Amino acid sequence: MGAVVGKAESPRSLSISETKLEAKMVEAMQRRAAKGSVMKSFNSIILKFPKIDESLRNCKDIFQQFDEDSNGAIDHDELKRAFSKLEVSFTDEEIDDLFAACDINEDMGINFNEFIVLICVVFLLKDDQNAGEKKVDMGMPKLEATFETLVDAFVFLDKNKDGYVSKSEMVQAINETTTGERSSGRIAMKRFEEMDWDRNGMVNFKEFLFAFTRWIGIDDLDDEDEEE
């Protein structure tokens, strides 16, 4: 049921809605990147895996609340009602775009790991809209702190602050450590391939998030639920 990251047999073409959403994500990330990142190395991101893992797994209760028919996926109407409960003021078109972009396996439902990615993208976009004002409040303070960590991690990887992570940026990020040690370029390539699921040589925030859920095992949690 989980999204396939870095394992697609061929690149999937982007729909118009996905292209529009990607443009918004890139612009939001570029503005966020101007603030810099507290991350000092890729190792510092890895050290946060356990805490991020715990926080995202706790999101399961929220997912189940929004999955009103308990079929393991949030459909389009359930997502609209979820946004209303979260007091997230997106237009119907924006919700449509998010749904299409995050329903990676195109089964007309948002499963758990897709939901995490979707909510984190919402956090980025809403926080960007509220720049200079009160930070967005989705009523999930611990989860929002985790989302901010994920945004910060992407900013660290995006060395030229263009809203994407390239292969060379990934190599540079993994080679940077506080101790001056250099990690294997092979590791960097493997991590990059896991993120670049459409194989266009550039990773956007959504692709990064899908890869991250697999790195910490959220996708495995999704599979466990299917077996029950």
Side-chain angles (χ1 to χ4, degrees), residues 14-32 94 97-98 101 121 124-125 128-129 154 161-164 200 203-207:
L14 294 177
S15 66
I16 294 175
S17 62
E18 286 179 289
T19 303
K20 286 167 58 180
L21 179 66
E22 179 170 333
K24 291 178 182 177
M25 283 192 298
V26 168
E27 291 171 5
M29 193 58 75
Q30 287 172 339
R31 283 188 283 268
R32 173 61 182 78
E94 288 172 326
D97 291 351
L98 276 164
V121 169
L124 171 69
L125 297 179
D128 182 62
Q129 289 177 10
F154 187 89
K161 305 186 189 312
D162 67 349
Y164 293 94
N200 70 349
V203 172
N204 64 28
F205 186 53
K206 185 188 75 174
E207 291 177 307

PDB file of all heavy atoms in Angstrom, residues 14-32 94 97-98 101 121 124-125 128-129 154 161-164 200 203-207:
ATOM      1  N   LEU A  14       4.343  14.393 -14.530  1.00  0.00           N
ATOM      2  CA  LEU A  14       3.614  15.215 -13.582  1.00  0.00           C
ATOM      3  C   LEU A  14       2.340  15.761 -14.197  1.00  0.00           C
ATOM      4  O   LEU A  14       2.331  16.180 -15.355  1.00  0.00           O
ATOM      5  CB  LEU A  14       4.485  16.382 -13.104  1.00  0.00           C
ATOM      6  CG  LEU A  14       5.725  16.024 -12.282  1.00  0.00           C
ATOM      7  CD1 LEU A  14       6.509  17.290 -11.956  1.00  0.00           C
ATOM      8  CD2 LEU A  14       5.341  15.309 -11.011  1.00  0.00           C
ATOM      9  N   SER A  15       1.255  15.772 -13.429  1.00  0.00           N
ATOM     10  CA  SER A  15       0.025  16.389 -13.891  1.00  0.00           C
ATOM     11  C   SER A  15       0.138  17.900 -13.721  1.00  0.00           C
ATOM     12  O   SER A  15       1.058  18.404 -13.081  1.00  0.00           O
ATOM     13  CB  SER A  15      -1.154  15.864 -13.063  1.00  0.00           C
ATOM     14  OG  SER A  15      -1.021  16.296 -11.715  1.00  0.00           O
ATOM     15  N   ILE A  16      -0.808  18.611 -14.307  1.00  0.00           N
ATOM     16  CA  ILE A  16      -0.806  20.074 -14.179  1.00  0.00           C
ATOM     17  C   ILE A  16      -0.930  20.471 -12.716  1.00  0.00           C
ATOM     18  O   ILE A  16      -0.253  21.381 -12.242  1.00  0.00           O
ATOM     19  CB  ILE A  16      -1.962  20.688 -14.995  1.00  0.00           C
ATOM     20  CG1 ILE A  16      -1.724  20.460 -16.496  1.00  0.00           C
ATOM     21  CG2 ILE A  16      -2.095  22.185 -14.706  1.00  0.00           C
ATOM     22  CD1 ILE A  16      -2.856  20.924 -17.377  1.00  0.00           C
ATOM     23  N   SER A  17      -1.788  19.755 -11.963  1.00  0.00           N
ATOM     24  CA  SER A  17      -1.980  20.082 -10.549  1.00  0.00           C
ATOM     25  C   SER A  17      -0.697  19.877  -9.763  1.00  0.00           C
ATOM     26  O   SER A  17      -0.345  20.672  -8.891  1.00  0.00           O
ATOM     27  CB  SER A  17      -3.114  19.236  -9.951  1.00  0.00           C
ATOM     28  OG  SER A  17      -2.799  17.864 -10.009  1.00  0.00           O
ATOM     29  N   GLU A  18       0.035  18.800 -10.069  1.00  0.00           N
ATOM     30  CA  GLU A  18       1.295  18.539  -9.374  1.00  0.00           C
ATOM     31  C   GLU A  18       2.330  19.604  -9.704  1.00  0.00           C
ATOM     32  O   GLU A  18       3.106  20.028  -8.852  1.00  0.00           O
ATOM     33  CB  GLU A  18       1.825  17.152  -9.757  1.00  0.00           C
ATOM     34  CG  GLU A  18       1.058  16.005  -9.127  1.00  0.00           C
ATOM     35  CD  GLU A  18       1.597  14.657  -9.554  1.00  0.00           C
ATOM     36  OE1 GLU A  18       1.412  14.286 -10.722  1.00  0.00           O
ATOM     37  OE2 GLU A  18       2.202  13.983  -8.720  1.00  0.00           O
ATOM     38  N   THR A  19       2.354  20.040 -10.957  1.00  0.00           N
ATOM     39  CA  THR A  19       3.299  21.074 -11.374  1.00  0.00           C
ATOM     40  C   THR A  19       3.017  22.382 -10.645  1.00  0.00           C
ATOM     41  O   THR A  19       3.941  23.063 -10.187  1.00  0.00           O
ATOM     42  CB  THR A  19       3.207  21.300 -12.897  1.00  0.00           C
ATOM     43  OG1 THR A  19       3.438  20.068 -13.573  1.00  0.00           O
ATOM     44  CG2 THR A  19       4.253  22.315 -13.354  1.00  0.00           C
ATOM     45  N   LYS A  20       1.747  22.720 -10.505  1.00  0.00           N
ATOM     46  CA  LYS A  20       1.362  23.942  -9.788  1.00  0.00           C
ATOM     47  C   LYS A  20       1.751  23.836  -8.321  1.00  0.00           C
ATOM     48  O   LYS A  20       2.278  24.778  -7.729  1.00  0.00           O
ATOM     49  CB  LYS A  20      -0.146  24.173  -9.915  1.00  0.00           C
ATOM     50  CG  LYS A  20      -0.582  24.663 -11.288  1.00  0.00           C
ATOM     51  CD  LYS A  20      -2.085  24.570 -11.473  1.00  0.00           C
ATOM     52  CE  LYS A  20      -2.847  25.364 -10.436  1.00  0.00           C
ATOM     53  NZ  LYS A  20      -4.310  25.262 -10.627  1.00  0.00           N
ATOM     54  N   LEU A  21       1.497  22.679  -7.719  1.00  0.00           N
ATOM     55  CA  LEU A  21       1.829  22.482  -6.313  1.00  0.00           C
ATOM     56  C   LEU A  21       3.336  22.523  -6.113  1.00  0.00           C
ATOM     57  O   LEU A  21       3.823  23.121  -5.146  1.00  0.00           O
ATOM     58  CB  LEU A  21       1.266  21.147  -5.819  1.00  0.00           C
ATOM     59  CG  LEU A  21       1.571  20.805  -4.358  1.00  0.00           C
ATOM     60  CD1 LEU A  21       0.868  21.784  -3.425  1.00  0.00           C
ATOM     61  CD2 LEU A  21       1.134  19.377  -4.037  1.00  0.00           C
ATOM     62  N   GLU A  22       4.083  21.914  -7.029  1.00  0.00           N
ATOM     63  CA  GLU A  22       5.536  21.917  -6.916  1.00  0.00           C
ATOM     64  C   GLU A  22       6.073  23.341  -6.963  1.00  0.00           C
ATOM     65  O   GLU A  22       6.977  23.694  -6.204  1.00  0.00           O
ATOM     66  CB  GLU A  22       6.175  21.084  -8.029  1.00  0.00           C
ATOM     67  CG  GLU A  22       7.694  21.078  -7.960  1.00  0.00           C
ATOM     68  CD  GLU A  22       8.333  20.075  -8.886  1.00  0.00           C
ATOM     69  OE1 GLU A  22       7.693  19.062  -9.204  1.00  0.00           O
ATOM     70  OE2 GLU A  22       9.489  20.302  -9.290  1.00  0.00           O
ATOM     71  N   ALA A  23       5.512  24.164  -7.837  1.00  0.00           N
ATOM     72  CA  ALA A  23       5.954  25.559  -7.934  1.00  0.00           C
ATOM     73  C   ALA A  23       5.743  26.286  -6.610  1.00  0.00           C
ATOM     74  O   ALA A  23       6.609  27.045  -6.155  1.00  0.00           O
ATOM     75  CB  ALA A  23       5.202  26.270  -9.061  1.00  0.00           C
ATOM     76  N   LYS A  24       4.604  26.024  -5.958  1.00  0.00           N
ATOM     77  CA  LYS A  24       4.320  26.646  -4.661  1.00  0.00           C
ATOM     78  C   LYS A  24       5.292  26.152  -3.600  1.00  0.00           C
ATOM     79  O   LYS A  24       5.773  26.935  -2.765  1.00  0.00           O
ATOM     80  CB  LYS A  24       2.879  26.337  -4.231  1.00  0.00           C
ATOM     81  CG  LYS A  24       1.802  27.015  -5.072  1.00  0.00           C
ATOM     82  CD  LYS A  24       0.414  26.613  -4.606  1.00  0.00           C
ATOM     83  CE  LYS A  24      -0.661  27.229  -5.465  1.00  0.00           C
ATOM     84  NZ  LYS A  24      -2.022  26.790  -5.057  1.00  0.00           N
ATOM     85  N   MET A  25       5.586  24.837  -3.622  1.00  0.00           N
ATOM     86  CA  MET A  25       6.518  24.271  -2.649  1.00  0.00           C
ATOM     87  C   MET A  25       7.912  24.852  -2.823  1.00  0.00           C
ATOM     88  O   MET A  25       8.580  25.193  -1.849  1.00  0.00           O
ATOM     89  CB  MET A  25       6.586  22.740  -2.794  1.00  0.00           C
ATOM     90  CG  MET A  25       5.421  21.992  -2.193  1.00  0.00           C
ATOM     91  SD  MET A  25       5.763  20.200  -2.087  1.00  0.00           S
ATOM     92  CE  MET A  25       5.967  19.772  -3.816  1.00  0.00           C
ATOM     93  N   VAL A  26       8.340  24.971  -4.073  1.00  0.00           N
ATOM     94  CA  VAL A  26       9.675  25.493  -4.356  1.00  0.00           C
ATOM     95  C   VAL A  26       9.797  26.941  -3.888  1.00  0.00           C
ATOM     96  O   VAL A  26      10.774  27.322  -3.244  1.00  0.00           O
ATOM     97  CB  VAL A  26       9.991  25.383  -5.864  1.00  0.00           C
ATOM     98  CG1 VAL A  26      11.251  26.180  -6.215  1.00  0.00           C
ATOM     99  CG2 VAL A  26      10.180  23.920  -6.263  1.00  0.00           C
ATOM    100  N   GLU A  27       8.782  27.744  -4.187  1.00  0.00           N
ATOM    101  CA  GLU A  27       8.809  29.145  -3.766  1.00  0.00           C
ATOM    102  C   GLU A  27       8.826  29.260  -2.247  1.00  0.00           C
ATOM    103  O   GLU A  27       9.569  30.074  -1.676  1.00  0.00           O
ATOM    104  CB  GLU A  27       7.595  29.888  -4.339  1.00  0.00           C
ATOM    105  CG  GLU A  27       7.650  30.081  -5.851  1.00  0.00           C
ATOM    106  CD  GLU A  27       6.349  30.623  -6.404  1.00  0.00           C
ATOM    107  OE1 GLU A  27       5.428  30.937  -5.586  1.00  0.00           O
ATOM    108  OE2 GLU A  27       6.226  30.741  -7.634  1.00  0.00           O
ATOM    109  N   ALA A  28       8.015  28.443  -1.583  1.00  0.00           N
ATOM    110  CA  ALA A  28       7.963  28.468  -0.118  1.00  0.00           C
ATOM    111  C   ALA A  28       9.296  28.035   0.473  1.00  0.00           C
ATOM    112  O   ALA A  28       9.788  28.623   1.440  1.00  0.00           O
ATOM    113  CB  ALA A  28       6.831  27.566   0.388  1.00  0.00           C
ATOM    114  N   MET A  29       9.899  27.004  -0.114  1.00  0.00           N
ATOM    115  CA  MET A  29      11.168  26.497   0.395  1.00  0.00           C
ATOM    116  C   MET A  29      12.297  27.495   0.158  1.00  0.00           C
ATOM    117  O   MET A  29      13.202  27.627   0.994  1.00  0.00           O
ATOM    118  CB  MET A  29      11.497  25.146  -0.242  1.00  0.00           C
ATOM    119  CG  MET A  29      12.626  24.409   0.442  1.00  0.00           C
ATOM    120  SD  MET A  29      12.327  24.072   2.211  1.00  0.00           S
ATOM    121  CE  MET A  29      11.147  22.717   2.110  1.00  0.00           C
ATOM    122  N   GLN A  30      12.257  28.189  -0.968  1.00  0.00           N
ATOM    123  CA  GLN A  30      13.276  29.206  -1.247  1.00  0.00           C
ATOM    124  C   GLN A  30      13.232  30.308  -0.194  1.00  0.00           C
ATOM    125  O   GLN A  30      14.274  30.760   0.292  1.00  0.00           O
ATOM    126  CB  GLN A  30      13.069  29.797  -2.637  1.00  0.00           C
ATOM    127  CG  GLN A  30      13.454  28.856  -3.771  1.00  0.00           C
ATOM    128  CD  GLN A  30      13.059  29.391  -5.134  1.00  0.00           C
ATOM    129  OE1 GLN A  30      12.179  30.243  -5.258  1.00  0.00           O
ATOM    130  NE2 GLN A  30      13.691  28.879  -6.181  1.00  0.00           N
ATOM    131  N   ARG A  31      12.021  30.728   0.176  1.00  0.00           N
ATOM    132  CA  ARG A  31      11.894  31.775   1.203  1.00  0.00           C
ATOM    133  C   ARG A  31      12.336  31.247   2.567  1.00  0.00           C
ATOM    134  O   ARG A  31      12.978  31.959   3.345  1.00  0.00           O
ATOM    135  CB  ARG A  31      10.459  32.292   1.251  1.00  0.00           C
ATOM    136  CG  ARG A  31      10.112  33.238   0.110  1.00  0.00           C
ATOM    137  CD  ARG A  31       8.753  33.879   0.288  1.00  0.00           C
ATOM    138  NE  ARG A  31       7.677  32.960  -0.042  1.00  0.00           N
ATOM    139  CZ  ARG A  31       7.133  32.860  -1.259  1.00  0.00           C
ATOM    140  NH1 ARG A  31       7.590  33.589  -2.251  1.00  0.00           N
ATOM    141  NH2 ARG A  31       6.141  32.019  -1.485  1.00  0.00           N
ATOM    142  N   ARG A  32      11.987  29.980   2.846  1.00  0.00           N
ATOM    143  CA  ARG A  32      12.403  29.385   4.123  1.00  0.00           C
ATOM    144  C   ARG A  32      13.918  29.224   4.177  1.00  0.00           C
ATOM    145  O   ARG A  32      14.533  29.394   5.233  1.00  0.00           O
ATOM    146  CB  ARG A  32      11.694  28.040   4.285  1.00  0.00           C
ATOM    147  CG  ARG A  32      12.138  27.217   5.477  1.00  0.00           C
ATOM    148  CD  ARG A  32      11.900  27.931   6.816  1.00  0.00           C
ATOM    149  NE  ARG A  32      12.388  27.102   7.911  1.00  0.00           N
ATOM    150  CZ  ARG A  32      13.666  26.985   8.258  1.00  0.00           C
ATOM    151  NH1 ARG A  32      14.599  27.652   7.583  1.00  0.00           N
ATOM    152  NH2 ARG A  32      14.017  26.219   9.276  1.00  0.00           N
ATOM    153  N   GLU A  94      -6.859  23.880  -4.355  1.00  0.00           N
ATOM    154  CA  GLU A  94      -5.610  23.544  -3.657  1.00  0.00           C
ATOM    155  C   GLU A  94      -5.698  22.161  -3.015  1.00  0.00           C
ATOM    156  O   GLU A  94      -4.724  21.393  -3.033  1.00  0.00           O
ATOM    157  CB  GLU A  94      -5.299  24.603  -2.597  1.00  0.00           C
ATOM    158  CG  GLU A  94      -4.841  25.932  -3.182  1.00  0.00           C
ATOM    159  CD  GLU A  94      -4.716  27.021  -2.127  1.00  0.00           C
ATOM    160  OE1 GLU A  94      -5.509  27.021  -1.157  1.00  0.00           O
ATOM    161  OE2 GLU A  94      -3.831  27.878  -2.274  1.00  0.00           O
ATOM    162  N   ASP A  97      -5.330  19.631  -5.729  1.00  0.00           N
ATOM    163  CA  ASP A  97      -3.930  19.522  -6.152  1.00  0.00           C
ATOM    164  C   ASP A  97      -3.120  18.684  -5.158  1.00  0.00           C
ATOM    165  O   ASP A  97      -2.311  17.834  -5.551  1.00  0.00           O
ATOM    166  CB  ASP A  97      -3.296  20.913  -6.281  1.00  0.00           C
ATOM    167  CG  ASP A  97      -3.861  21.704  -7.454  1.00  0.00           C
ATOM    168  OD1 ASP A  97      -4.615  21.116  -8.258  1.00  0.00           O
ATOM    169  OD2 ASP A  97      -3.551  22.905  -7.568  1.00  0.00           O
ATOM    170  N   LEU A  98      -3.338  18.938  -3.870  1.00  0.00           N
ATOM    171  CA  LEU A  98      -2.627  18.190  -2.830  1.00  0.00           C
ATOM    172  C   LEU A  98      -2.981  16.711  -2.880  1.00  0.00           C
ATOM    173  O   LEU A  98      -2.105  15.847  -2.771  1.00  0.00           O
ATOM    174  CB  LEU A  98      -2.978  18.756  -1.448  1.00  0.00           C
ATOM    175  CG  LEU A  98      -2.188  19.973  -0.976  1.00  0.00           C
ATOM    176  CD1 LEU A  98      -2.909  20.636   0.190  1.00  0.00           C
ATOM    177  CD2 LEU A  98      -0.782  19.559  -0.570  1.00  0.00           C
ATOM    178  N   ALA A 101      -1.343  15.082  -5.903  1.00  0.00           N
ATOM    179  CA  ALA A 101       0.117  15.011  -5.795  1.00  0.00           C
ATOM    180  C   ALA A 101       0.585  13.986  -4.774  1.00  0.00           C
ATOM    181  O   ALA A 101       1.633  13.364  -4.947  1.00  0.00           O
ATOM    182  CB  ALA A 101       0.669  16.389  -5.436  1.00  0.00           C
ATOM    183  N   VAL A 121       3.523  19.011   3.878  1.00  0.00           N
ATOM    184  CA  VAL A 121       3.491  19.987   2.784  1.00  0.00           C
ATOM    185  C   VAL A 121       2.542  21.134   3.129  1.00  0.00           C
ATOM    186  O   VAL A 121       2.846  22.298   2.884  1.00  0.00           O
ATOM    187  CB  VAL A 121       3.062  19.306   1.460  1.00  0.00           C
ATOM    188  CG1 VAL A 121       2.762  20.361   0.389  1.00  0.00           C
ATOM    189  CG2 VAL A 121       4.149  18.355   0.972  1.00  0.00           C
ATOM    190  N   LEU A 124       4.292  23.468   5.465  1.00  0.00           N
ATOM    191  CA  LEU A 124       5.235  24.341   4.760  1.00  0.00           C
ATOM    192  C   LEU A 124       4.506  25.482   4.059  1.00  0.00           C
ATOM    193  O   LEU A 124       4.885  26.656   4.187  1.00  0.00           O
ATOM    194  CB  LEU A 124       6.026  23.537   3.721  1.00  0.00           C
ATOM    195  CG  LEU A 124       6.892  24.370   2.760  1.00  0.00           C
ATOM    196  CD1 LEU A 124       8.054  25.005   3.489  1.00  0.00           C
ATOM    197  CD2 LEU A 124       7.383  23.497   1.605  1.00  0.00           C
ATOM    198  N   LEU A 125       3.442  25.156   3.338  1.00  0.00           N
ATOM    199  CA  LEU A 125       2.732  26.172   2.560  1.00  0.00           C
ATOM    200  C   LEU A 125       1.995  27.173   3.449  1.00  0.00           C
ATOM    201  O   LEU A 125       2.021  28.372   3.191  1.00  0.00           O
ATOM    202  CB  LEU A 125       1.746  25.495   1.599  1.00  0.00           C
ATOM    203  CG  LEU A 125       2.358  24.597   0.525  1.00  0.00           C
ATOM    204  CD1 LEU A 125       1.268  23.969  -0.328  1.00  0.00           C
ATOM    205  CD2 LEU A 125       3.335  25.373  -0.349  1.00  0.00           C
ATOM    206  N   ASP A 128       4.432  29.435   5.212  1.00  0.00           N
ATOM    207  CA  ASP A 128       4.948  30.417   4.265  1.00  0.00           C
ATOM    208  C   ASP A 128       3.940  31.553   4.062  1.00  0.00           C
ATOM    209  O   ASP A 128       4.306  32.723   3.995  1.00  0.00           O
ATOM    210  CB  ASP A 128       5.240  29.741   2.923  1.00  0.00           C
ATOM    211  CG  ASP A 128       5.830  30.707   1.899  1.00  0.00           C
ATOM    212  OD1 ASP A 128       6.924  31.245   2.160  1.00  0.00           O
ATOM    213  OD2 ASP A 128       5.201  30.933   0.864  1.00  0.00           O
ATOM    214  N   GLN A 129       2.666  31.204   4.002  1.00  0.00           N
ATOM    215  CA  GLN A 129       1.623  32.220   3.834  1.00  0.00           C
ATOM    216  C   GLN A 129       1.550  33.151   5.038  1.00  0.00           C
ATOM    217  O   GLN A 129       1.193  34.317   4.921  1.00  0.00           O
ATOM    218  CB  GLN A 129       0.258  31.552   3.634  1.00  0.00           C
ATOM    219  CG  GLN A 129       0.099  30.872   2.288  1.00  0.00           C
ATOM    220  CD  GLN A 129      -1.238  30.167   2.155  1.00  0.00           C
ATOM    221  OE1 GLN A 129      -2.133  30.325   2.996  1.00  0.00           O
ATOM    222  NE2 GLN A 129      -1.399  29.390   1.103  1.00  0.00           N
ATOM    223  N   PHE A 154      15.693  19.619   4.955  1.00  0.00           N
ATOM    224  CA  PHE A 154      15.713  19.850   3.506  1.00  0.00           C
ATOM    225  C   PHE A 154      16.517  21.098   3.174  1.00  0.00           C
ATOM    226  O   PHE A 154      17.296  21.108   2.215  1.00  0.00           O
ATOM    227  CB  PHE A 154      14.288  19.987   2.971  1.00  0.00           C
ATOM    228  CG  PHE A 154      14.209  20.066   1.462  1.00  0.00           C
ATOM    229  CD1 PHE A 154      14.092  18.913   0.697  1.00  0.00           C
ATOM    230  CD2 PHE A 154      14.264  21.293   0.802  1.00  0.00           C
ATOM    231  CE1 PHE A 154      14.028  18.976  -0.689  1.00  0.00           C
ATOM    232  CE2 PHE A 154      14.202  21.361  -0.577  1.00  0.00           C
ATOM    233  CZ  PHE A 154      14.086  20.200  -1.323  1.00  0.00           C
ATOM    234  N   LYS A 161      19.943  26.856  -2.324  1.00  0.00           N
ATOM    235  CA  LYS A 161      18.676  27.475  -1.928  1.00  0.00           C
ATOM    236  C   LYS A 161      17.727  27.730  -3.114  1.00  0.00           C
ATOM    237  O   LYS A 161      17.031  28.742  -3.167  1.00  0.00           O
ATOM    238  CB  LYS A 161      18.936  28.794  -1.182  1.00  0.00           C
ATOM    239  CG  LYS A 161      19.871  28.637   0.017  1.00  0.00           C
ATOM    240  CD  LYS A 161      19.988  29.927   0.809  1.00  0.00           C
ATOM    241  CE  LYS A 161      21.065  29.865   1.877  1.00  0.00           C
ATOM    242  NZ  LYS A 161      21.028  28.657   2.708  1.00  0.00           N
ATOM    243  N   ASP A 162      17.688  26.768  -4.045  1.00  0.00           N
ATOM    244  CA  ASP A 162      16.795  26.923  -5.197  1.00  0.00           C
ATOM    245  C   ASP A 162      15.495  26.125  -5.034  1.00  0.00           C
ATOM    246  O   ASP A 162      14.657  26.096  -5.933  1.00  0.00           O
ATOM    247  CB  ASP A 162      17.494  26.514  -6.490  1.00  0.00           C
ATOM    248  CG  ASP A 162      17.817  25.015  -6.552  1.00  0.00           C
ATOM    249  OD1 ASP A 162      17.687  24.329  -5.509  1.00  0.00           O
ATOM    250  OD2 ASP A 162      18.203  24.540  -7.641  1.00  0.00           O
ATOM    251  N   GLY A 163      15.309  25.478  -3.866  1.00  0.00           N
ATOM    252  CA  GLY A 163      14.087  24.729  -3.619  1.00  0.00           C
ATOM    253  C   GLY A 163      14.152  23.279  -4.044  1.00  0.00           C
ATOM    254  O   GLY A 163      13.172  22.539  -3.929  1.00  0.00           O
ATOM    255  N   TYR A 164      15.316  22.843  -4.544  1.00  0.00           N
ATOM    256  CA  TYR A 164      15.520  21.454  -4.940  1.00  0.00           C
ATOM    257  C   TYR A 164      16.840  20.952  -4.352  1.00  0.00           C
ATOM    258  O   TYR A 164      17.722  21.751  -4.031  1.00  0.00           O
ATOM    259  CB  TYR A 164      15.610  21.314  -6.464  1.00  0.00           C
ATOM    260  CG  TYR A 164      14.339  21.612  -7.212  1.00  0.00           C
ATOM    261  CD1 TYR A 164      14.096  22.883  -7.717  1.00  0.00           C
ATOM    262  CD2 TYR A 164      13.384  20.622  -7.428  1.00  0.00           C
ATOM    263  CE1 TYR A 164      12.929  23.163  -8.420  1.00  0.00           C
ATOM    264  CE2 TYR A 164      12.216  20.895  -8.131  1.00  0.00           C
ATOM    265  CZ  TYR A 164      11.999  22.169  -8.628  1.00  0.00           C
ATOM    266  OH  TYR A 164      10.847  22.440  -9.316  1.00  0.00           O
ATOM    267  N   ASN A 200      14.467  12.612 -12.363  1.00  0.00           N
ATOM    268  CA  ASN A 200      14.772  13.797 -13.168  1.00  0.00           C
ATOM    269  C   ASN A 200      16.035  14.513 -12.694  1.00  0.00           C
ATOM    270  O   ASN A 200      16.383  15.577 -13.195  1.00  0.00           O
ATOM    271  CB  ASN A 200      13.581  14.765 -13.185  1.00  0.00           C
ATOM    272  CG  ASN A 200      13.350  15.441 -11.836  1.00  0.00           C
ATOM    273  OD1 ASN A 200      13.953  15.046 -10.818  1.00  0.00           O
ATOM    274  ND2 ASN A 200      12.482  16.439 -11.810  1.00  0.00           N
ATOM    275  N   VAL A 203      15.439  16.719  -6.600  1.00  0.00           N
ATOM    276  CA  VAL A 203      14.497  16.255  -5.577  1.00  0.00           C
ATOM    277  C   VAL A 203      13.764  17.432  -4.973  1.00  0.00           C
ATOM    278  O   VAL A 203      14.392  18.383  -4.489  1.00  0.00           O
ATOM    279  CB  VAL A 203      15.249  15.481  -4.464  1.00  0.00           C
ATOM    280  CG1 VAL A 203      14.324  15.167  -3.299  1.00  0.00           C
ATOM    281  CG2 VAL A 203      15.863  14.204  -5.030  1.00  0.00           C
ATOM    282  N   ASN A 204      12.436  17.404  -5.028  1.00  0.00           N
ATOM    283  CA  ASN A 204      11.666  18.458  -4.360  1.00  0.00           C
ATOM    284  C   ASN A 204      11.292  18.016  -2.952  1.00  0.00           C
ATOM    285  O   ASN A 204      11.605  16.897  -2.538  1.00  0.00           O
ATOM    286  CB  ASN A 204      10.421  18.848  -5.189  1.00  0.00           C
ATOM    287  CG  ASN A 204       9.423  17.706  -5.346  1.00  0.00           C
ATOM    288  OD1 ASN A 204       9.307  16.815  -4.503  1.00  0.00           O
ATOM    289  ND2 ASN A 204       8.686  17.717  -6.449  1.00  0.00           N
ATOM    290  N   PHE A 205      10.630  18.890  -2.222  1.00  0.00           N
ATOM    291  CA  PHE A 205      10.330  18.613  -0.808  1.00  0.00           C
ATOM    292  C   PHE A 205       9.430  17.400  -0.644  1.00  0.00           C
ATOM    293  O   PHE A 205       9.613  16.589   0.271  1.00  0.00           O
ATOM    294  CB  PHE A 205       9.689  19.851  -0.176  1.00  0.00           C
ATOM    295  CG  PHE A 205       9.467  19.734   1.311  1.00  0.00           C
ATOM    296  CD1 PHE A 205      10.505  19.385   2.165  1.00  0.00           C
ATOM    297  CD2 PHE A 205       8.226  19.996   1.862  1.00  0.00           C
ATOM    298  CE1 PHE A 205      10.310  19.279   3.543  1.00  0.00           C
ATOM    299  CE2 PHE A 205       8.017  19.907   3.238  1.00  0.00           C
ATOM    300  CZ  PHE A 205       9.058  19.545   4.066  1.00  0.00           C
ATOM    301  N   LYS A 206       8.470  17.234  -1.542  1.00  0.00           N
ATOM    302  CA  LYS A 206       7.554  16.095  -1.449  1.00  0.00           C
ATOM    303  C   LYS A 206       8.315  14.781  -1.619  1.00  0.00           C
ATOM    304  O   LYS A 206       8.101  13.826  -0.860  1.00  0.00           O
ATOM    305  CB  LYS A 206       6.457  16.214  -2.508  1.00  0.00           C
ATOM    306  CG  LYS A 206       5.392  15.127  -2.417  1.00  0.00           C
ATOM    307  CD  LYS A 206       4.447  15.169  -3.599  1.00  0.00           C
ATOM    308  CE  LYS A 206       5.116  14.619  -4.840  1.00  0.00           C
ATOM    309  NZ  LYS A 206       4.184  14.500  -5.980  1.00  0.00           N
ATOM    310  N   GLU A 207       9.200  14.711  -2.594  1.00  0.00           N
ATOM    311  CA  GLU A 207       9.999  13.501  -2.809  1.00  0.00           C
ATOM    312  C   GLU A 207      10.871  13.205  -1.594  1.00  0.00           C
ATOM    313  O   GLU A 207      11.018  12.047  -1.188  1.00  0.00           O
ATOM    314  CB  GLU A 207      10.875  13.668  -4.054  1.00  0.00           C
ATOM    315  CG  GLU A 207      10.102  13.687  -5.367  1.00  0.00           C
ATOM    316  CD  GLU A 207      11.013  13.938  -6.555  1.00  0.00           C
ATOM    317  OE1 GLU A 207      11.779  14.926  -6.544  1.00  0.00           O
ATOM    318  OE2 GLU A 207      10.959  13.137  -7.504  1.00  0.00           O
TER     319      GLU A 207
END
